[in-house]
């Protein structure tokens, strides 16, 4: 157990002084009533159970104050930071989220199929630093490189095409921007193997950086790009205004091939769910390299039990002081 505000534990010093003061005061306390002899009160038969409870309220008060100090110090349970050396590579997933990804030639649609296979891929590589970039007419990082795959998978699961409909980003396909954004997350990496897995269902029609220029940037930083064109051949069913219409499938294989060639990667075409899974399985065979990973588990607050003890001790002290041990003025 660790404390978020460990300095507050120094309050135990004045608390200890308070205890010492109470003990010393008790030794020098003068009688409240003078009598000629106290023999009558010292007879064993006249001793009340209250004699044994006289110091209990003070002890309860000390317990209350001690528990309050601990609560203020915020006790937390956590695993300590640990540096480990594992086999892995740094991978950025660059995923197209344009509205065309709602086409249903993959089940239930291209985006959901891509998310499902990508999640399986992430689960199969527990030691890799993996991040997620999404793009349509623009691009931004959904999740930076991390070994905390639970966070990554939550972010991946939250990806929807409706961010275009909501006006968060423009519709379209900015492949170059998607690659460039992913490269920006990998350029400072110390790993010998840095990879981008780019998945799209269209051709570049947006963005200030062309796919070829982005590929050259990736090459300069030693990043390999594996490109995936997802979608069937010919036409694909697409939901439109409550109906399903057929739309042509237009994937710029030439550009995707060029990106892969420039960066020493590979181009794959996935025309079905099973083909898409096969693509990720092939990429899963990539070389691995040694990585130094700093691991840690999330801290959890543990103050509740101490707060309950403090409350119980305080209530019990008040109960004793104003009932059994009530003083008459």
């Amino acid at each position: 157990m660790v404390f978020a505000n460990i300095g507050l534990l120094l309050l135990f010093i004045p608390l200890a002084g308070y205890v010492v003061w109470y003990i010393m005061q008790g030794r020098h306390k003068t009688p409240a009533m003078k009598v000629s002899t106290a023999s009558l009160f010292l007879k064993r038969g006249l001793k009340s159970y209250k004699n044994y409870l006289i110091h209990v309220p003070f002890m309860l008060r000390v317990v209350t104050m001690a528990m309050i100090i601990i609560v203020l110090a915020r006790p937390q349970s956590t695993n300590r930071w640990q540096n480990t050396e594992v086999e892995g590579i740094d991978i950025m997933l660059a995923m197209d989220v344009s509205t065309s990804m709602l086409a249903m030639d993959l089940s239930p649609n291209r985006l959901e199929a891509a998310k499902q296979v990508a999640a399986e891929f992430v689960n199969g590589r527990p030691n890799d630093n993996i991040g997620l970039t999404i793009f349509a007419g623009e691009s931004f990082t959904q999740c930076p490189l991390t070994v905390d795959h639970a966070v990554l998978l939550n972010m991946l699961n939250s990806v929807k095409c409706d961010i275009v409909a909501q006006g968060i980003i423009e519709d379209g396909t900015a492949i170059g921007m998607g690659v460039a954004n992913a490269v920006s997350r990998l350029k400072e990496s110390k790993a010998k193997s840095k990879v981008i897995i780019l998945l799209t269902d269209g051709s570049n029609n947006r963005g200030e950086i062309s796919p070829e220029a982005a590929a050259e940037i990736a090459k300069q930083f030693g990043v390999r790009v594996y490109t995936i064109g997802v979608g069937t051949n010919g036409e694909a069913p697409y939901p439109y205004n409550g109906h399903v219409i057929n739309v042509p499938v237009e994937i710029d294989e030439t550009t995707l091939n060029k990106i892969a060639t420039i960066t020493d990667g590979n181009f794959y075409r996935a025309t079905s769910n099973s083909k898409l899974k096969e693509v990720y399985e092939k990429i899963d065979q990539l070389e691995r390299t040694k990585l130094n990973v700093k691991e840690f588990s999330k801290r959890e607050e543990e103050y509740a039990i101490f707060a309950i003890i403090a409350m119980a001790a305080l209530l019990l002290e008040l109960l004793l002081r104003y009932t059994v041990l009530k003083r008459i003025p």
Side-chain angles (χ1 to χ4, degrees), residues 244-260:
V244 175
I245 61 175
N246 288 323
V247 296
V249 177
E250 299 177 350
I251 299 175
D252 190 350
E253 295 188 10
T254 302
T255 298
L256 295 179
N257 237 319
K258 188 178 294 185
I259 295 172

Side-chain angles (χ1 to χ4, degrees), residues 38-94:
S39 60
L40 182 63
F41 298 98
L42 298 178
K43 287 183 180 180
R44 189 172 183 179
L46 294 179
K47 265 195 173 183
S48 168
Y49 68 92
K50 295 181 181 180
N51 294 88
Y52 302 101
L53 296 178
I54 193 67
H55 298 295
V56 171
F58 172 76
M59 290 187 290
L60 289 171
R61 180 177 298 179
V62 171
V63 170
T64 300
M65 295 172 68
M67 293 300 103
I68 290 175
I69 291 172
I70 293 175
V71 169
L72 292 175
R74 288 180 58 199
Q76 299 172 331
S77 62
T78 181
N79 292 337
R80 61 188 179 89
W81 288 91
Q82 183 178 3
N83 287 318
T84 56
E85 193 174 66
V86 298
E87 295 283 348
I89 61 175
D90 284 0
I91 303 172
M92 282 298 296
L93 305 176

